Amino acid sequence: MSGELRAAGDIALPRRSVLAGGVVAAAGLATPAFAASLPSKRPAPADRRFTSPAVERELVRVAGRIGDDKLRWMFGNCYPNTLDTTVTQVGTVDGKPDSFVITGDIPCLWLRDSSAQVKPYLHLARKAPELRRLIGGLIARQARCILIDPYANAFMEDPTARSNLEWSQKDETEMKPGVAERKWEIDSLCYPMRLAHGYWRATGDAAPFDATWAEAARASIRTFREQQRKDGPGPYSFRRSAPQPTETLLWGHGHPTRPVGLIHSGFRPSDDACLYPFLIPSNLFAVTALRELAVVANEARHDAALAAAATALAAEVEAALKAYGTMRLRDGSEVWAYEVDGFGNAIFMDDANVPSLSGLGYLGCVDSADPLWRRTQAACWSAANPWFFRGRAGEGIGGPHVGAGQIWPMSLTIRALSATDDATIRAALRSLRHTDGGTGFIHESFDQDDPAKFTRAWFAWANGLFAELILHLAATRPALLKAPL
């Protein structure tokens, strides 16, 4: 395949050559030189799936501001990774842009992952028509996916195809053509709302927010309402035969709850089943995302009814969170719970996947200075969280998805993005630098004692989130980023 997926309006870069030490040059663009021992891990230019001149320029600009050689090398590998490797289609549907972005080593589109993967490019989109086409096409694809099934978390590139994921072939649920996996997760609908808002704020381009997008937005709100389960369990159920209990829901609906206005989630953003179906970080994200949806509905579409529906639901869930979303730890301190059931039962833990309790500040769901969240975040990074691990290779948060002793770099990145002091950020950067297993990329998890043991060598969300951190530091703490680690 050529180094760029071409469609009308796309901008093509000339073919480039990769020189010794990872230097890439063409059309006045050059990737900063690294030591000869750290050659670029990007695909050869002719093998890159999609190329953006704006991203190439930004890579050069920011890399030149990174003082540490290895950190600079990792940024050079990670920042363009989504474009280089996961954009499988940029074309048109009914004359409008259409983009398909896979998660990495699984050739399907996750609503959550794809939204997060393109976020580090949003700030460039206003002046980059190739990025507007890519991201606008992804917004359109996500809307059509939601209209296939708002309860699904992952989708096939061909909307008429049956799932080719081995583990979902015998799921006891209503699998429709185009659906790759049907795990109901609140955040699967929140992330497209977040992407739509981010795109609108970055570009002022109303083109993606057509009648199909509005129909998908209404379907998302309707699904959230159904999963408040005020009048019964609703239309969704899911069971899977698997060795891990995190892969299935008790009797298809999950553990019992008392309807209190919160939204039920079958699964966490890790794709693991909830213990108690009221997943608090995802409910908090839903409040924020619904209000962002209302902004787009009002400003881009002048659709007051859609905005009012989103705002009303956000207010209702917010009130329920205030009444039922917190708990007390053994020391008596009040924190946000991870999951509750409305009967008074709650669990405290955190999972590295975002939305998480420790990621609420990053997501803008809470004020970063809020004492309740600060207490919660501190508890997440302590022995109060059963999924917090410390070993010879470092410390951080993992989760049930890959088991005990496995630290997710995503938790380190989120900690740095949420931090207000240089020492915490520097410590997180050092950990990220030292736990790549020598690959130059960010993985799903690494062993707490041996970073050479890791899961998912190709995980574009984690790579993009790391790049987002570097971009953030270049803008807000340039002296820290320039200093040696």
Side-chain angles (χ1 to χ4, degrees), residues 104-418:
D105 53 10
I106 307 172
C108 299
L109 179 147
W110 262 254
L111 294 174
R112 169 187 57 252
D113 293 37
S114 61
S115 299
Q117 284 168 238
V118 300
K119 184 175 184 289
Y121 312 131
L122 279 173
H123 68 293
L124 305 173
R126 181 179 291 274
K127 297 181 179 179
E130 75 280 6
L131 290 178
R132 290 199 302 277
R133 181 175 183 81
L134 170 68
I135 300 172
L138 177 58
I139 291 170
R141 170 67 75 131
Q142 289 179 341
R144 293 196 304 276
C145 287
I146 290 168
L147 291 174
I148 291 173
D149 187 354
Y151 283 104
N153 56 324
F155 294 85
M156 304 292 292
E157 184 168 348
D158 179 356
T160 68
R162 294 286 179 180
S163 175
N164 61 2
L165 299 182
E166 179 182 356
W167 55 86
S168 67
Q169 296 300 305
K170 297 181 180 180
D171 289 345
E172 296 179 29
T173 191
E174 185 185 356
M175 290 290 287
K176 298 178 180 179
V179 171
E181 188 173 56
R182 195 175 189 246
K183 288 183 171 179
W184 160 238
E185 303 163 9
I186 293 172
D187 68 282
S188 289
L189 297 182
C190 293
Y191 269 100
M193 297 177 191
R194 167 60 54 93
L195 177 60
H197 181 263
Y199 180 85
W200 170 247
R201 281 285 182 255
T203 66
D205 175 21
F209 308 115
D210 57 11
T212 300
W213 178 85
E215 186 181 356
R218 288 191 291 270
S220 298
I221 294 171
R222 181 177 65 251
T223 303
F224 282 162
R225 286 285 187 191
E226 288 172 354
Q227 287 306 310
Q228 288 179 298
R229 300 188 189 176
K230 294 179 180 178
D231 302 307
Y236 175 80
S237 66
F238 180 98
R239 291 202 298 181
R240 173 181 291 174
S241 295
Q244 295 293 342
T246 54
E247 289 298 306
T248 191
L249 299 181
L250 182 65
W251 296 110
H253 296 287
H255 287 258
T257 59
R258 186 165 70 89
V260 296
L262 293 171
I263 303 166
H264 294 69
S265 194
F267 294 85
R268 300 166 179 166
S270 59
D271 298 340
D272 291 336
C274 295
L275 178 58
Y276 296 137
F278 294 138
L279 180 56
I280 298 304
S282 289
N283 272 267
L284 284 160
F285 191 23
V287 171
T288 303
L290 284 163
R291 287 173 175 157
E292 291 174 345
L293 170 62
V295 169
V296 180
N298 267 326
E299 296 179 3
R301 284 189 54 80
H302 310 291
D303 189 337
L306 176 57
T311 301
L313 179 55
E316 185 176 331
V317 176
E318 182 178 50
L321 282 162
K322 290 178 179 178
Y324 297 96
T326 62
M327 63 181 292
R328 291 196 179 274
L329 299 178
R330 287 185 56 128
D331 64 4
S333 59
E334 185 183 26
V335 295
W336 285 110
Y338 188 70
E339 292 170 353
V340 303
D341 65 358
F343 290 110
N345 298 303
I347 59 168
F348 184 81
M349 56 166 279
D350 205 22
D351 190 305
N353 289 267
V354 183
S356 58
L357 291 176
S358 51
L360 293 174
Y362 160 74
L363 289 172
C365 300
V366 297
D367 186 326
S368 292
D370 176 59
L372 174 61
W373 179 66
R374 283 294 181 189
R375 287 194 302 273
T376 304
Q377 184 196 41
C380 291
W381 280 78
S382 78
N385 173 15
W387 298 103
F388 173 77
F389 306 114
R390 180 182 287 118
R392 290 190 299 272
E395 65 177 30
I397 298 169
H401 197 66
V402 292
Q406 302 301 302
I407 296 169
W408 288 53
M410 190 177 293
S411 71
L412 299 166
T413 307
I414 290 296
R415 184 166 174 79
L417 281 165
S418 306

Side-chain angles (χ1 to χ4, degrees), residues 459-480:
F459 186 23
W461 179 16
N463 289 326
L465 190 63
F466 167 76
E468 188 179 334
L469 169 61
I470 300 300
L471 292 167
H472 170 72
L473 295 177
T476 62
R477 296 175 187 261
L480 185 155

Side-chain angles (χ1 to χ4, degrees), residues 81 105 439 441-444 454-460 463:
N81 184 247
D105 53 10
T439 67
F441 291 101
I442 306 298
H443 305 131
E444 178 187 53
F454 57 80
T455 59
R456 296 193 70 178
W458 179 19
F459 186 23
N463 289 326

Side-chain angles (χ1 to χ4, degrees), residues 422-467:
D422 286 0
T424 299
I425 297 170
R426 196 173 287 112
L429 287 175
R430 288 195 193 103
S431 289
L432 290 165
R433 182 189 187 277
H434 295 320
T435 57
D436 71 320
T439 67
F441 291 101
I442 306 298
H443 305 131
E444 178 187 53
S445 71
F446 63 88
D447 185 271
Q448 65 180 21
D449 296 318
D450 183 1
K453 299 176 181 177
F454 57 80
T455 59
R456 296 193 70 178
W458 179 19
F459 186 23
W461 179 16
N463 289 326
L465 190 63
F466 167 76

